[in-house]
Amino acid sequence: MKNIQMVDLFSQYEKIQPEVDKAVLEVMRSSAFINGPEVKNFQLALEKYLDVNHVIPCANGTDALQVAMMALGLKPGDEVITATFTFVATAEVIALLGLTPVLVDVDPDTFLIDPVQVAKAITPKTKAIVPVHLFGQCANMDEIMAIAKENNLYVIEDNAQAIGADYLHKDGKKAKAGTIGHVGTTSFFPSKNLGCYGDGGAIFTNDDALAAKIRKVVNHGMDRRYYHDEIGVNSRLDSIQAAILNRKLPLLDSYNAARQSAADYYDKAFANHPKLITPIRAKHSTHVFHQYTLKLVDVNREALISFLNEKGIPAMIYYPVALHMQEAYQDERYKEGHFPVTEGLVSQVISLPMHTELAENQLDFIKESLLTFVNQ
Ligand SMILES: *Cc1c(COP(=O)(O)O)cnc(C)c1O
């Protein structure tokens, strides 16, 4: 049996090595390191895949969120609502821009931002909502878009974890995750569902004027070279990363299918176990399993993790501390006990190895080991 990893990037690379190596060498030979043809080709290919009018590549998923908020013209003092159960980047950029992060609790079954809590958190200062498509499935966008419309708010989808997932609208129509709000963002960090071999990110929108603004912001606020209409940033996807992504994008659906089949295996292995709650799949979204996250009931989580680690099985806690309990995000508005669902989840969740290369014998071993511990 191969070593079990949380994410096995090397085995995935081995399968596409000849094409990727060739593509990377070609970029080096062309010297088109910045904004070369690979970047444009990737933009066009991702627009087609997502069925969205505009993709603007950028340097990483955190920049993507920051640029989206800058392009929407959000100003210091504006309130932006997001979930307290997420990766820090979502709230970090809000705070960094001098906007006020307004945190809300999540749904206990899906871990996704709770639209009821979003509606309750709206004040006259609220300008935007950032739903996070956590662990690989979409937040309830029908409800979030309805709340946004009623209150005249922007919606920025943080789609770093659910690229390729399908959102299933109430009327039966489908849309790719990240293309429903006013703007969507993603990350191509190596371990994401569509990862490059370094940093990368992108912003999506169907709004032509907003896309033009985003293109300006990522490029030092300029449209015409050396004429700076506004303060921007420098955030680019480099050509080598784009070349890699061009080889991997055609495989994204098969990568997501491989994650789904590993998740199906785990679901079956742990179904109806009194101490294990398998991930609940939302009705309004497919699940592309960026993470496979169990909820533990009456299990000593630290002891379980040590037990698994001793057998060579990694396991992680995403996320051990809610944003409102983080040192950097202390705020008198939020005390311990404020977000009971998230505060329960942070002590209950455990994420198992999840990637595109999990073999049957590895899954068998993970299953047997985990069941041995919880049944003892
Ligand atoms: C990974 C991630 C980001 C940030 O992406 P980077 O490319 O690492 O900057 C933002 N939001 C969420 C939910 C993420 O998982």
Side-chain angles (χ1 to χ4, degrees), residues 184-361:
T185 65
T186 202
S187 162
F188 305 119
F189 185 80
S191 63
K192 305 280 164 146
N193 290 38
L194 178 60
C196 58
Y197 297 166
D199 275 309
I203 308 158
F204 336 125
T205 185
N206 281 311
D207 179 331
D208 298 347
L210 183 59
K213 193 92 191 286
I214 292 167
R215 287 205 179 87
K216 240 192 220 185
V217 174
V218 294
N219 189 28
H220 300 292
M222 76 182 172
D223 213 353
R224 257 190 318 156
R225 194 174 273 214
Y226 306 127
Y227 289 80
H228 304 276
D229 306 336
E230 57 197 272
I231 296 173
V233 297
N234 168 25
S235 189
R236 291 183 288 243
L237 179 70
D238 73 70
S239 300
I240 288 179
Q241 300 308 332
I244 293 159
L245 288 165
N246 275 325
R247 303 306 170 289
K248 291 186 72 176
L249 178 59
L251 301 171
L252 176 58
D253 286 342
S254 69
Y255 287 158
N256 283 340
R259 288 172 177 274
Q260 282 158 347
S261 77
D264 289 343
Y265 179 101
Y266 285 141
D267 276 356
K268 218 168 132 221
F270 308 131
N272 304 319
H273 195 287
K275 294 186 174 178
L276 304 171
I277 302 173
T278 55
I280 310 270
R281 304 189 186 199
K283 286 188 193 70
H284 56 253
S285 175
T286 61
H287 200 323
V288 294
F289 288 96
H290 178 59
Q291 300 299 345
Y292 185 88
T293 303
L294 291 168
K295 281 201 282 185
L296 301 174
V297 183
D298 291 329
V299 175
N300 181 334
R301 185 170 62 175
E302 293 315 312
L304 169 61
I305 291 175
S306 310
F307 178 86
L308 293 174
N309 288 170
E310 267 162 37
K311 291 183 170 291
I313 301 170
M316 298 287 285
I317 300 168
Y318 302 115
Y319 296 92
V321 182
L323 287 184
H324 69 282
M325 297 306 292
Q326 298 283 357
E327 183 94 25
Y329 294 88
Q330 286 304 302
D331 189 303
E332 60 194 13
R333 290 172 299 164
Y334 308 123
K335 300 270 181 291
E336 191 164 0
H338 210 101
F339 301 111
V341 176
T342 297
E343 286 172 27
L345 290 176
V346 295
S347 60
Q348 239 192 328
V349 290
I350 183 171
S351 297
L352 300 181
M354 175 48 75
H355 54 80
T356 59
E357 311 301 315
L358 279 163
E360 190 88 11
N361 61 356

Side-chain angles (χ1 to χ4, degrees), residues 59-65 86-90 92 132-135 158-161 185-189 191-192 198-201 290 319:
N60 57 67
T62 309
D63 275 11
L65 285 161
T86 179
F87 179 60
V88 68
T90 322
E92 188 175 50
V132 182
H133 300 329
L134 199 74
F135 298 159
D158 182 348
N159 192 34
Q161 299 190 4
T185 65
T186 202
S187 162
F188 305 119
F189 185 80
S191 63
K192 305 280 164 146
D199 275 309
H290 178 59
Y319 296 92

Side-chain angles (χ1 to χ4, degrees), residues 15-252:
K15 293 185 176 161
I16 53 171
Q17 183 172 6
E19 304 94 274
V20 168
D21 289 4
K22 184 162 168 277
V24 169
L25 284 171
E26 272 166 14
V27 172
M28 295 204 265
R29 294 204 178 100
S30 75
S31 302
F33 297 115
I34 302 291
N35 291 333
E38 291 280 8
V39 178
K40 186 72 188 174
N41 291 342
F42 177 63
Q43 173 202 322
L44 297 173
L46 190 57
E47 284 170 355
K48 189 155 176 243
Y49 175 84
L50 293 172
D51 191 22
V52 69
N53 292 344
H54 304 280
V55 165
I56 302 95
C58 67
N60 57 67
T62 309
D63 275 11
L65 285 161
Q66 178 179 334
V67 167
M69 289 177 203
M70 290 170 74
L72 287 170
L74 302 185
K75 294 278 178 303
D78 289 350
E79 293 180 358
V80 179
I81 299 173
T82 195
T84 188
F85 192 55
T86 179
F87 179 60
V88 68
T90 322
E92 188 175 50
V93 297
I94 299 171
L96 200 65
L97 291 172
L99 314 171
T100 306
V102 174
L103 302 174
V104 299
D105 216 341
V106 297
D107 179 275
D109 290 332
T110 60
F111 316 141
L112 297 166
I113 193 166
D114 181 349
V116 174
Q117 301 302 324
V118 171
K120 277 195 203 157
I122 292 171
T123 76
K125 288 186 180 166
T126 309
K127 289 285 154 49
I129 307 168
V130 187
V132 182
H133 300 329
L134 199 74
F135 298 159
Q137 59 185 347
C138 298
N140 189 329
M141 292 302 292
D142 282 319
E143 288 187 25
I144 288 166
M145 293 310 290
I147 294 167
K149 196 167 173 200
E150 206 180 298
N151 296 279
N152 206 11
L153 308 176
Y154 294 119
V155 175
I156 303 160
E157 296 176 70
D158 182 348
N159 192 34
Q161 299 190 4
I163 194 153
D166 284 316
Y167 186 79
L168 314 169
H169 282 287
K170 274 192 291 203
D171 62 6
K173 288 199 190 107
K174 272 202 226 169
K176 284 287 177 201
T179 66
I180 302 154
H182 300 88
V183 54
T185 65
T186 202
S187 162
F188 305 119
F189 185 80
S191 63
K192 305 280 164 146
N193 290 38
L194 178 60
C196 58
Y197 297 166
D199 275 309
I203 308 158
F204 336 125
T205 185
N206 281 311
D207 179 331
D208 298 347
L210 183 59
K213 193 92 191 286
I214 292 167
R215 287 205 179 87
K216 240 192 220 185
V217 174
V218 294
N219 189 28
H220 300 292
M222 76 182 172
D223 213 353
R224 257 190 318 156
R225 194 174 273 214
Y226 306 127
Y227 289 80
H228 304 276
D229 306 336
E230 57 197 272
I231 296 173
V233 297
N234 168 25
S235 189
R236 291 183 288 243
L237 179 70
D238 73 70
S239 300
I240 288 179
Q241 300 308 332
I244 293 159
L245 288 165
N246 275 325
R247 303 306 170 289
K248 291 186 72 176
L249 178 59
L251 301 171
L252 176 58

